[in-house]
Amino acid sequence: MTASRVCALSELEQDAALRVVVDGVPIAVVRDANDEVHAIGDVCTHGDISLSEGFVEGDTLECWAHGSAFSLRTGEPLNLPAYEPVPVYVVEIDGDDVLIDPNVKKEI
């Protein structure tokens, strides 16, 4: 499988998450304050809540419903109630295209 275009880089707002679905896999794509683009699993491991509806602060994405913050770099939860990590995906930027392959997880 190869990476799929999920959005344009210009579509990503700074410090905000965008929900995309690639091959049936929900992914939260985030452009942080340093203009780095991250892709993590979009479902909170504490409950069936979309993380892309949460809050971006620094290099974390916080679940709006339960308050657990997840590292955008590792997928690890940084506080309870979540205790399981979410997957983190490799992001490729090609011009203005953001590409993600849901089968290629980031080596942490």
Side-chain angles (χ1 to χ4, degrees):
M1 172 137 326
T2 59
S4 298
R5 181 186 185 280
V6 296
C7 65
L9 185 60
S10 58
E11 291 177 59
L12 295 175
E13 293 181 34
Q14 207 165 37
D15 289 332
L18 173 70
R19 183 180 197 270
V20 298
V21 178
V22 184
D23 296 332
V25 178
I27 299 173
V29 182
V30 177
R31 186 175 195 172
D32 68 18
N34 296 319
D35 277 337
E36 291 182 67
V37 179
H38 307 273
I40 69 171
D42 187 46
V43 180
C44 179
T45 57
H46 174 69
D48 191 21
I49 301 293
S50 174
L51 289 175
S52 61
E53 296 177 23
F55 312 100
V56 176
E57 186 173 324
D59 64 351
T60 65
L61 180 55
E62 181 181 328
C63 177
W64 66 269
H66 305 119
S68 288
F70 294 86
S71 168
L72 293 171
R73 299 187 187 285
T74 67
E76 293 290 326
L78 304 174
N79 58 319
L80 295 173
Y83 57 89
E84 292 290 326
V86 294
V88 178
Y89 302 96
V90 173
V91 175
E92 297 174 40
I93 306 295
D94 183 13
D96 191 46
D97 293 334
V98 178
L99 308 166
I100 299 171
D101 182 340
N103 297 304
V104 180
K105 295 189 178 134
K106 212 171 183 182
E107 295 286 328
I108 309 296

XYZ file of all heavy atoms in Angstrom:
809
model
N 0.849 -1.181 0.000
C 0.000 0.000 0.000
C 0.891 1.239 0.000
O 1.955 1.248 0.579
C -0.899 -0.021 1.232
C -1.658 1.239 1.418
S -3.372 1.201 1.885
C -4.090 -0.180 1.150
N 0.444 2.272 -0.644
C 1.186 3.524 -0.672
C 0.402 4.592 0.057
O -0.788 4.452 0.325
C 1.450 3.968 -2.125
O 0.194 4.116 -2.786
C 2.294 2.954 -2.872
N 1.111 5.681 0.355
C 0.475 6.781 1.070
C -0.593 7.434 0.198
O -0.442 7.558 -1.014
C 1.528 7.796 1.477
N -1.668 7.859 0.844
C -2.773 8.533 0.162
C -2.793 10.004 0.536
O -2.484 10.375 1.676
C -4.109 7.924 0.585
O -4.187 6.575 0.234
N -3.195 10.834 -0.410
C -3.373 12.251 -0.109
C -4.597 12.380 0.802
O -5.671 11.891 0.468
C -3.596 13.043 -1.397
C -3.754 14.528 -1.145
C -4.126 15.249 -2.440
N -4.158 16.679 -2.252
C -5.164 17.360 -1.706
N -6.247 16.726 -1.278
N -5.110 18.671 -1.581
N -4.408 13.052 1.941
C -5.521 13.211 2.879
C -6.062 14.632 2.907
O -7.209 14.858 3.264
C -5.148 12.745 4.301
C -4.844 11.256 4.309
C -3.992 13.531 4.871
N -5.198 15.587 2.555
C -5.616 16.981 2.524
C -4.470 17.812 1.955
O -3.380 17.294 1.713
C -5.987 17.495 3.922
S -4.619 17.562 5.089
N -4.718 19.093 1.784
C -3.670 20.030 1.402
C -3.070 20.614 2.674
O -3.782 20.824 3.665
C -4.239 21.147 0.532
N -1.782 20.852 2.644
C -1.117 21.470 3.789
C -1.775 22.809 4.113
O -1.972 23.149 5.281
C 0.373 21.647 3.473
C 1.262 22.177 4.584
C 1.233 21.257 5.791
C 2.690 22.343 4.077
N -2.169 23.533 3.088
C -2.813 24.839 3.278
C -4.180 24.734 3.949
O -4.696 25.726 4.468
C -2.936 25.562 1.936
O -3.678 24.781 1.021
N -4.778 23.540 3.973
C -6.071 23.339 4.639
C -5.931 23.180 6.145
O -6.925 23.290 6.868
C -6.753 22.073 4.113
C -7.239 22.145 2.699
C -7.831 20.824 2.263
O -8.796 20.346 2.897
O -7.309 20.256 1.273
N -4.728 22.874 6.608
C -4.523 22.620 8.033
C -4.302 23.921 8.786
O -3.364 24.666 8.503
C -3.318 21.699 8.240
C -3.448 20.288 7.698
C -2.127 19.538 7.865
C -4.579 19.548 8.398
N -5.170 24.173 9.741
C -5.009 25.348 10.588
C -3.982 25.030 11.671
O -3.904 23.903 12.157
C -6.336 25.713 11.254
C -7.382 26.192 10.291
C -8.669 26.560 11.003
O -8.603 27.065 12.145
O -9.730 26.324 10.417
N -3.218 26.037 12.034
C -2.230 25.851 13.088
C -2.936 25.597 14.421
O -3.960 26.217 14.719
C -1.351 27.090 13.191
C 0.017 26.818 13.734
C 0.942 27.992 13.482
O 0.541 29.137 13.555
N 2.178 27.682 13.182
N -2.381 24.653 15.188
C -2.919 24.283 16.506
C -4.367 23.800 16.436
O -5.180 24.090 17.316
C -2.800 25.438 17.506
C -1.357 25.678 17.903
O -0.556 24.726 17.881
O -1.019 26.825 18.255
N -4.676 23.065 15.374
C -6.002 22.481 15.227
C -5.861 21.107 14.587
O -4.855 20.806 13.954
C -6.890 23.379 14.365
N -6.870 20.269 14.799
C -6.858 18.913 14.248
C -7.929 18.787 13.170
O -8.979 19.420 13.235
C -7.112 17.898 15.356
N -7.622 17.957 12.184
C -8.551 17.661 11.100
C -8.740 16.155 11.068
O -7.766 15.406 11.052
C -7.980 18.143 9.759
C -8.756 17.757 8.504
C -10.083 18.517 8.451
C -7.929 18.039 7.266
N -9.990 15.705 11.077
C -10.280 14.260 11.004
C -10.316 13.834 9.550
O -11.004 14.441 8.729
C -11.613 13.953 11.660
C -11.947 12.467 11.682
C -13.299 12.240 12.355
N -13.477 10.863 12.746
C -14.022 9.929 11.972
N -14.436 10.236 10.759
N -14.167 8.698 12.414
N -9.560 12.774 9.254
C -9.596 12.160 7.924
C -9.784 10.659 8.132
O -9.511 10.131 9.207
C -8.301 12.438 7.113
C -8.120 13.924 6.885
C -7.083 11.838 7.775
N -10.278 9.995 7.107
C -10.416 8.539 7.144
C -9.685 7.998 5.925
O -9.993 8.377 4.799
C -11.891 8.098 7.146
C -11.991 6.580 7.135
C -12.618 8.664 8.357
N -8.684 7.144 6.185
C -7.886 6.562 5.103
C -8.044 5.050 5.174
O -7.707 4.433 6.193
C -6.403 6.948 5.246
C -5.603 6.412 4.068
C -6.233 8.453 5.377
N -8.585 4.462 4.126
C -8.819 3.020 4.078
C -9.567 2.522 5.318
O -9.242 1.489 5.885
C -7.501 2.258 3.918
C -6.821 2.559 2.603
O -7.533 2.888 1.630
O -5.580 2.475 2.535
N -10.554 3.302 5.755
C -11.373 2.930 6.899
C -10.765 3.243 8.254
O -11.373 2.967 9.279
N -9.570 3.844 8.276
C -8.884 4.157 9.533
C -9.047 5.646 9.843
O -8.569 6.495 9.078
C -7.381 3.803 9.442
C -6.664 4.174 10.729
C -7.195 2.336 9.109
N -9.715 5.989 10.971
C -9.845 7.400 11.339
C -8.527 7.928 11.910
O -7.925 7.309 12.791
C -10.949 7.401 12.386
C -10.985 6.018 12.930
C -10.444 5.111 11.875
N -8.097 9.068 11.383
C -6.813 9.666 11.760
C -7.014 11.149 12.027
O -7.721 11.835 11.283
C -5.773 9.468 10.638
C -5.535 7.972 10.404
C -4.465 10.181 10.959
C -4.660 7.659 9.197
N -6.385 11.651 13.092
C -6.372 13.082 13.386
C -5.069 13.649 12.838
O -3.984 13.204 13.212
C -6.479 13.333 14.882
N -5.172 14.614 11.937
C -4.004 15.274 11.352
C -3.899 16.645 12.011
O -4.865 17.406 12.042
C -4.148 15.420 9.819
C -2.905 16.059 9.226
C -4.430 14.065 9.174
N -2.716 16.946 12.543
C -2.523 18.168 13.323
C -1.316 18.938 12.807
O -0.250 18.357 12.591
C -2.295 17.839 14.819
C -2.030 19.105 15.619
C -3.479 17.078 15.390
N -1.497 20.227 12.634
C -0.372 21.135 12.335
C -0.116 21.930 13.607
O -0.956 22.722 14.035
C -0.747 22.056 11.186
C 0.381 22.930 10.709
C -0.069 23.703 9.495
N 1.044 24.292 8.799
C 0.936 24.892 7.629
N -0.241 24.969 7.031
N 1.989 25.415 7.059
N 1.046 21.676 14.235
C 1.314 22.313 15.521
C 1.863 23.729 15.348
O 2.022 24.226 14.228
C 2.230 21.430 16.393
C 3.648 21.297 15.876
O 4.094 22.126 15.042
O 4.342 20.359 16.317
N 2.157 24.379 16.458
C 2.625 25.768 16.445
C 3.965 25.924 15.734
O 4.306 27.018 15.284
C 2.724 26.293 17.874
N 4.735 24.847 15.612
C 6.018 24.880 14.911
C 5.876 24.497 13.446
O 6.874 24.233 12.781
C 7.013 23.946 15.592
C 7.332 24.389 16.999
O 7.488 25.578 17.255
N 7.406 23.450 17.916
N 4.641 24.410 12.953
C 4.327 24.015 11.569
C 4.693 22.574 11.252
O 4.797 22.208 10.087
C 4.964 24.960 10.544
C 4.123 26.201 10.323
O 2.906 26.146 10.592
O 4.673 27.222 9.873
N 4.882 21.735 12.265
C 5.083 20.305 12.039
C 3.715 19.658 11.897
O 2.764 20.029 12.589
C 5.837 19.671 13.204
C 7.278 20.090 13.313
C 7.955 19.383 14.466
O 8.131 18.149 14.393
O 8.288 20.069 15.449
N 3.627 18.674 11.014
C 2.360 17.974 10.790
C 2.469 16.582 11.402
O 3.438 15.860 11.169
C 2.021 17.884 9.292
C 0.721 17.121 9.085
C 1.917 19.286 8.692
N 1.481 16.235 12.205
C 1.429 14.953 12.912
C 0.155 14.214 12.519
O -0.851 14.837 12.185
C 1.409 15.169 14.430
C 2.507 16.034 14.930
N 3.745 15.547 15.257
C 2.566 17.375 15.149
C 4.514 16.531 15.672
N 3.823 17.660 15.613
N 0.196 12.889 12.621
C -0.993 12.071 12.363
C -1.077 10.997 13.438
O -0.147 10.211 13.612
C -0.904 11.428 10.987
N -2.178 11.002 14.189
C -2.382 9.992 15.230
C -3.779 9.401 15.093
O -4.653 10.012 14.467
C -2.173 10.558 16.664
C -3.263 11.548 17.055
C -0.813 11.203 16.803
C -3.210 11.962 18.529
N -3.969 8.236 15.681
C -5.290 7.621 15.678
C -6.311 8.587 16.226
O -6.054 9.275 17.221
N -7.468 8.668 15.600
C -8.470 9.677 15.966
C -9.429 9.226 17.061
O -10.302 9.978 17.452
C -9.266 10.088 14.721
C -10.193 11.259 15.008
O -9.745 12.234 15.633
O -11.372 11.188 14.620
N -9.256 8.028 17.584
C -10.207 7.544 18.596
C -9.516 7.463 19.952
O -8.512 6.767 20.113
C -10.778 6.172 18.205
C -11.757 5.681 19.257
C -11.471 6.252 16.851
N -10.054 8.182 20.931
C -9.528 8.151 22.295
C -9.576 6.718 22.817
O -10.581 6.016 22.637
C -10.358 9.059 23.196
S -9.815 9.064 24.929
N -8.487 6.286 23.437
C -8.440 4.910 23.944
C -9.234 4.733 25.232
O -9.442 3.615 25.671
C -6.978 4.462 24.168
O -6.333 5.374 25.065
C -6.229 4.401 22.851
N -9.709 5.822 25.815
C -10.541 5.707 27.015
C -12.012 5.503 26.642
O -12.757 4.863 27.367
C -10.394 6.956 27.883
C -11.314 6.977 29.056
N -11.177 6.118 30.120
C -12.393 7.744 29.333
C -12.134 6.359 30.997
N -12.886 7.334 30.544
N -12.401 6.052 25.516
C -13.788 5.937 25.072
C -13.845 6.183 23.579
O -12.876 6.604 22.970
N -14.954 5.931 22.998
C -15.124 6.048 21.549
C -15.410 7.496 21.175
O -16.513 7.827 20.737
C -16.234 5.108 21.093
C -16.285 4.964 19.593
O -15.271 5.247 18.927
O -17.347 4.580 19.079
N -14.404 8.365 21.363
C -14.550 9.799 21.121
C -13.516 10.230 20.086
O -12.356 9.828 20.148
C -14.313 10.596 22.433
C -15.300 10.180 23.524
C -14.351 12.095 22.193
C -16.738 10.536 23.258
N -13.916 11.075 19.161
C -12.997 11.590 18.148
C -12.039 12.600 18.768
O -12.460 13.632 19.289
C -13.784 12.258 17.017
O -12.910 12.874 16.107
N -10.738 12.290 18.702
C -9.738 13.201 19.249
C -9.624 14.480 18.428
O -9.242 15.528 18.963
C -8.376 12.513 19.326
C -8.247 11.423 20.380
C -6.884 10.736 20.267
C -8.431 11.994 21.780
N -9.950 14.427 17.156
C -9.812 15.614 16.312
C -10.764 16.729 16.733
O -10.593 17.877 16.319
C -10.011 15.266 14.844
O -11.297 14.753 14.618
N -11.740 16.411 17.559
C -12.641 17.436 18.084
C -12.083 18.075 19.346
O -12.698 18.966 19.929
C -14.011 16.826 18.379
C -14.712 16.321 17.140
C -16.033 15.648 17.447
O -16.627 15.921 18.518
O -16.486 14.846 16.615
N -10.895 17.619 19.761
C -10.287 18.091 20.999
C -9.427 19.333 20.804
O -9.553 20.058 19.815
N -8.524 19.526 21.748
C -7.744 20.750 21.833
C -6.260 20.451 21.626
O -5.714 19.553 22.255
C -7.954 21.395 23.208
C -9.407 21.480 23.586
C -9.968 20.555 24.456
C -10.213 22.462 23.057
C -11.316 20.609 24.787
C -11.568 22.526 23.387
C -12.113 21.604 24.255
N -5.623 21.234 20.764
C -4.187 21.094 20.509
C -3.456 22.123 21.359
O -3.799 23.306 21.348
C -3.852 21.324 19.018
C -2.351 21.261 18.786
C -4.588 20.319 18.151
N -2.463 21.631 22.103
C -1.614 22.536 22.880
C -0.203 22.001 22.831
O 0.054 20.870 23.267
C -2.095 22.633 24.324
C -1.321 23.681 25.101
C -1.894 23.924 26.477
O -3.120 23.886 26.652
O -1.072 24.154 27.387
N 0.689 22.777 22.249
C 2.069 22.320 22.093
C 2.094 21.089 21.200
O 1.600 21.114 20.086
N 2.657 20.002 21.739
C 2.697 18.760 20.957
C 1.763 17.711 21.538
O 2.065 16.533 21.562
C 4.126 18.230 20.822
C 4.732 17.840 22.147
O 4.137 18.121 23.202
O 5.816 17.233 22.133
N 0.582 18.178 22.022
C -0.430 17.267 22.557
C -1.794 17.544 21.932
O -2.070 18.647 21.463
C -0.566 17.381 24.093
O -1.064 18.676 24.430
C 0.752 17.118 24.794
N -2.626 16.505 21.959
C -4.020 16.612 21.538
C -4.859 16.065 22.684
O -4.678 14.924 23.104
C -4.257 15.811 20.255
C -5.671 15.801 19.675
C -6.191 17.218 19.445
C -5.707 15.009 18.388
N -5.735 16.907 23.207
C -6.533 16.542 24.377
C -7.945 16.135 23.989
O -8.605 16.820 23.194
C -6.611 17.728 25.343
C -7.398 17.438 26.605
C -7.476 18.631 27.529
O -6.526 19.426 27.565
O -8.513 18.767 28.211
N -8.399 15.013 24.536
C -9.773 14.555 24.319
C -10.729 15.534 24.998
O -10.607 15.798 26.196
C -9.937 13.146 24.895
S -11.623 12.511 24.774
N -11.666 16.053 24.241
C -12.605 17.036 24.779
C -13.547 16.435 25.816
O -14.031 17.130 26.701
C -13.404 17.689 23.652
C -14.321 16.739 22.943
C -14.032 15.990 21.844
C -15.656 16.396 23.306
N -15.109 15.205 21.493
C -16.117 15.428 22.382
C -16.517 16.797 24.331
C -17.390 14.876 22.444
C -17.784 16.239 24.384
C -18.207 15.303 23.456
N -13.807 15.133 25.731
C -14.786 14.512 26.626
C -14.194 14.055 27.953
O -14.832 14.186 28.987
C -15.443 13.319 25.931
N -12.975 13.511 27.909
C -12.416 12.908 29.118
C -11.203 13.634 29.670
O -10.775 13.355 30.780
C -12.035 11.449 28.853
C -13.173 10.639 28.332
N -13.146 10.026 27.105
C -14.391 10.379 28.865
C -14.290 9.409 26.907
N -15.063 9.611 27.949
N -10.615 14.541 28.881
C -9.482 15.330 29.367
C -8.118 14.678 29.229
O -7.126 15.275 29.595
N -8.050 13.458 28.703
C -6.743 12.835 28.506
C -6.034 13.523 27.346
O -6.624 13.735 26.290
C -6.876 11.348 28.193
O -7.259 10.635 29.333
N -4.762 13.850 27.560
C -3.947 14.449 26.501
C -3.016 13.375 25.952
O -2.451 12.582 26.712
C -3.153 15.621 27.056
N -2.856 13.349 24.637
C -1.995 12.377 23.968
C -0.847 13.102 23.276
O -1.052 14.153 22.656
C -2.794 11.589 22.926
C -3.848 10.715 23.526
C -5.111 11.218 23.805
C -3.585 9.385 23.815
C -6.094 10.411 24.368
C -4.560 8.574 24.377
C -5.816 9.084 24.653
N 0.351 12.536 23.373
C 1.506 13.081 22.685
C 1.324 12.911 21.177
O 1.037 11.805 20.709
C 2.779 12.365 23.134
O 3.851 12.693 22.269
N 1.515 13.983 20.431
C 1.434 13.900 18.974
C 2.634 13.160 18.399
O 2.591 12.659 17.289
C 1.361 15.305 18.369
C 0.080 16.084 18.665
C 0.214 17.528 18.210
C -1.127 15.413 18.019
N 3.715 13.069 19.158
C 4.939 12.412 18.693
C 4.952 10.909 18.955
O 5.465 10.143 18.157
C 6.154 13.056 19.336
C 6.275 14.524 18.990
C 7.552 15.148 19.469
N 7.539 16.569 19.260
C 7.690 17.168 18.089
N 7.842 16.473 17.005
N 7.676 18.481 17.995
N 4.369 10.495 20.087
C 4.446 9.079 20.475
C 3.090 8.402 20.581
O 3.025 7.179 20.629
C 5.146 8.924 21.833
O 4.320 9.505 22.861
C 6.526 9.572 21.832
N 2.011 9.172 20.697
C 0.679 8.612 20.891
C 0.384 8.233 22.330
O -0.726 7.827 22.659
N 1.373 8.378 23.205
C 1.197 8.009 24.611
C 0.255 8.979 25.314
O 0.340 10.195 25.117
C 2.541 8.014 25.344
C 3.503 6.951 24.880
C 3.076 5.548 25.273
O 2.470 5.369 26.355
O 3.336 4.630 24.490
N -0.627 8.453 26.186
C -1.454 9.344 26.992
C -0.584 9.960 28.086
O 0.284 9.291 28.652
C -2.516 8.413 27.580
C -1.872 7.074 27.604
C -0.919 7.040 26.452
N -0.802 11.221 28.358
C 0.013 11.927 29.339
C -0.680 12.067 30.684
O -0.072 12.525 31.645
C 0.410 13.296 28.783
C 1.138 13.232 27.431
C 1.372 14.621 26.883
C 2.443 12.465 27.565
N -1.950 11.686 30.723
C -2.692 11.731 31.980
C -3.901 10.805 31.884
O -4.299 10.400 30.801
C -3.117 13.174 32.309
C -3.974 13.799 31.232
O -3.735 13.641 30.049
N -4.989 14.523 31.653
N -4.456 10.481 33.033
C -5.645 9.635 33.094
C -6.863 10.441 32.664
O -6.823 11.663 32.708
C -5.821 9.107 34.517
C -4.707 8.158 34.993
C -4.892 7.838 36.461
C -4.677 6.897 34.162
N -7.939 9.805 32.258
C -8.248 8.398 32.467
C -7.688 7.455 31.399
O -7.689 6.256 31.594
C -9.770 8.364 32.465
C -10.169 9.501 31.597
C -9.119 10.563 31.803
N -7.206 7.964 30.253
C -6.649 7.061 29.238
C -5.312 6.507 29.720
O -4.540 7.208 30.376
C -6.466 7.791 27.921
N -5.058 5.253 29.405
C -3.770 4.661 29.771
C -3.160 3.870 28.624
O -2.026 3.425 28.710
C -3.888 3.790 31.027
C -4.889 2.675 30.917
C -4.528 1.434 30.432
C -6.212 2.889 31.294
C -5.465 0.416 30.318
C -7.148 1.873 31.188
C -6.768 0.645 30.704
O -7.700 -0.351 30.575
N -3.899 3.720 27.519
C -3.387 3.047 26.329
C -3.037 4.098 25.277
O -3.785 5.069 25.094
C -4.441 2.100 25.747
C -4.740 0.907 26.615
C -3.583 -0.078 26.670
O -2.869 -0.239 25.668
O -3.397 -0.676 27.738
N -1.934 3.919 24.546
C -1.573 4.886 23.503
C -2.443 4.737 22.260
O -3.078 3.710 22.053
C -0.123 4.526 23.180
C -0.014 3.073 23.519
C -0.949 2.850 24.683
N -2.464 5.777 21.454
C -3.079 5.730 20.130
C -1.949 5.558 19.115
O -0.809 5.927 19.383
C -3.902 7.004 19.829
C -5.112 7.115 20.728
C -3.050 8.254 19.915
N -2.240 4.996 17.945
C -1.182 4.839 16.941
C -0.738 6.189 16.377
O -1.513 7.141 16.342
C -1.835 3.977 15.867
C -3.292 4.100 16.083
C -3.515 4.435 17.520
N 0.517 6.241 15.969
C 1.086 7.431 15.337
C 1.554 7.021 13.945
O 2.214 5.991 13.783
C 2.274 7.975 16.161
C 2.906 9.173 15.479
C 1.822 8.336 17.574
N 1.200 7.799 12.953
C 1.474 7.456 11.563
C 2.532 8.371 10.951
O 2.650 9.540 11.341
C 0.190 7.539 10.731
C -0.891 6.645 11.261
C -1.868 7.128 12.116
C -0.916 5.292 10.946
C -2.851 6.297 12.625
C -1.892 4.455 11.458
C -2.858 4.966 12.302
O -3.822 4.144 12.824
N 3.247 7.836 9.973
C 4.231 8.614 9.227
C 3.484 9.581 8.308
O 2.531 9.184 7.634
C 5.145 7.681 8.402
C 6.060 8.480 7.494
C 5.956 6.773 9.325
N 3.937 10.830 8.294
C 3.352 11.853 7.428
C 4.391 12.246 6.387
O 5.543 12.500 6.724
C 2.943 13.103 8.236
C 2.439 14.210 7.318
C 1.905 12.764 9.282
N 3.972 12.298 5.142
C 4.829 12.787 4.060
C 4.201 14.056 3.512
O 2.986 14.130 3.355
C 4.927 11.754 2.940
C 5.564 10.447 3.333
C 5.493 9.435 2.195
O 5.697 9.826 1.022
O 5.211 8.264 2.487
N 5.040 15.038 3.243
C 4.578 16.275 2.617
C 5.188 16.324 1.221
O 6.407 16.222 1.053
C 5.012 17.522 3.417
C 4.578 17.420 4.889
C 4.487 18.794 2.762
C 3.099 17.413 5.126
N 4.340 16.464 0.210
C 4.782 16.544 -1.173
C 4.173 17.808 -1.768
O 2.995 17.815 -2.151
C 4.349 15.303 -1.956
C 4.845 15.297 -3.390
O 5.730 16.115 -3.737
O 4.345 14.470 -4.175
N 4.956 18.880 -1.782
C 4.416 20.172 -2.203
C 3.388 20.635 -1.194
O 3.707 20.836 -0.029
N 2.135 20.739 -1.630
C 1.050 21.136 -0.721
C 0.212 19.937 -0.287
O -0.780 20.086 0.417
C 0.151 22.183 -1.404
C -0.831 22.831 -0.441
O -0.413 23.218 0.673
O -2.024 22.940 -0.796
N 0.611 18.735 -0.691
C -0.154 17.537 -0.360
C 0.360 16.886 0.922
O 1.563 16.720 1.107
C -0.066 16.510 -1.491
C -0.762 16.973 -2.754
O -1.696 17.795 -2.663
O -0.366 16.509 -3.843
N -0.579 16.502 1.787
C -0.264 15.738 2.995
C -0.638 14.292 2.709
O -1.786 14.002 2.366
C -1.038 16.266 4.221
C -0.735 15.440 5.457
C -0.721 17.743 4.464
N 0.343 13.395 2.831
C 0.155 11.984 2.494
C 0.341 11.115 3.728
O 1.278 11.322 4.504
C 1.169 11.568 1.424
C 1.242 12.438 0.177
C 2.484 12.132 -0.625
C 0.004 12.235 -0.672
N -0.542 10.118 3.880
C -0.479 9.192 5.014
C -0.816 7.798 4.519
O -1.761 7.617 3.737
C -1.450 9.608 6.138
C -1.105 10.987 6.676
C -1.435 8.570 7.271
C -2.128 11.551 7.632
N -0.072 6.823 4.993
C -0.383 5.402 4.757
C -0.760 4.834 6.116
O 0.079 4.770 7.010
C 0.829 4.677 4.181
C 0.537 3.213 3.875
O -0.431 2.657 4.430
O 1.315 2.622 3.106
N -2.030 4.430 6.321
C -2.452 3.930 7.629
C -1.784 2.611 8.021
O -1.904 2.169 9.160
C -3.967 3.766 7.490
C -4.175 3.570 6.025
C -3.115 4.380 5.348
N -1.057 2.010 7.098
C -0.340 0.772 7.405
C 1.101 1.027 7.837
O 1.793 0.079 8.213
C -0.332 -0.155 6.178
C -1.748 -0.563 5.823
O -2.466 -1.110 6.649
N -2.148 -0.285 4.599
N 1.543 2.276 7.784
C 2.906 2.615 8.176
C 2.854 3.461 9.447
O 2.536 4.644 9.405
C 3.646 3.374 7.046
C 5.069 3.714 7.495
C 3.662 2.553 5.767
N 3.168 2.811 10.553
C 3.182 3.507 11.838
C 4.584 4.017 12.122
O 5.578 3.425 11.687
C 2.696 2.586 12.938
C 1.232 2.231 12.708
C 0.631 1.500 13.849
C -0.818 1.255 13.522
N -1.257 -0.065 13.779
N 4.647 5.104 12.830
C 5.912 5.732 13.160
C 6.681 4.859 14.150
O 6.106 4.329 15.105
C 5.619 7.094 13.795
C 6.617 8.144 13.553
C 6.059 9.452 14.066
C 6.989 10.581 13.797
N 6.453 11.821 14.341
N 7.969 4.712 13.922
C 8.832 3.986 14.858
C 9.108 4.919 16.033
O 9.653 6.003 15.865
C 10.144 3.593 14.175
C 9.970 2.619 13.052
C 9.656 1.207 13.528
O 10.139 0.823 14.607
O 8.924 0.498 12.815
N 8.744 4.498 17.216
C 8.931 5.326 18.418
C 10.037 4.737 19.273
O 10.121 3.600 19.530
C 7.623 5.420 19.240
C 6.438 5.834 18.375
C 7.811 6.345 20.420
C 6.482 7.188 17.752
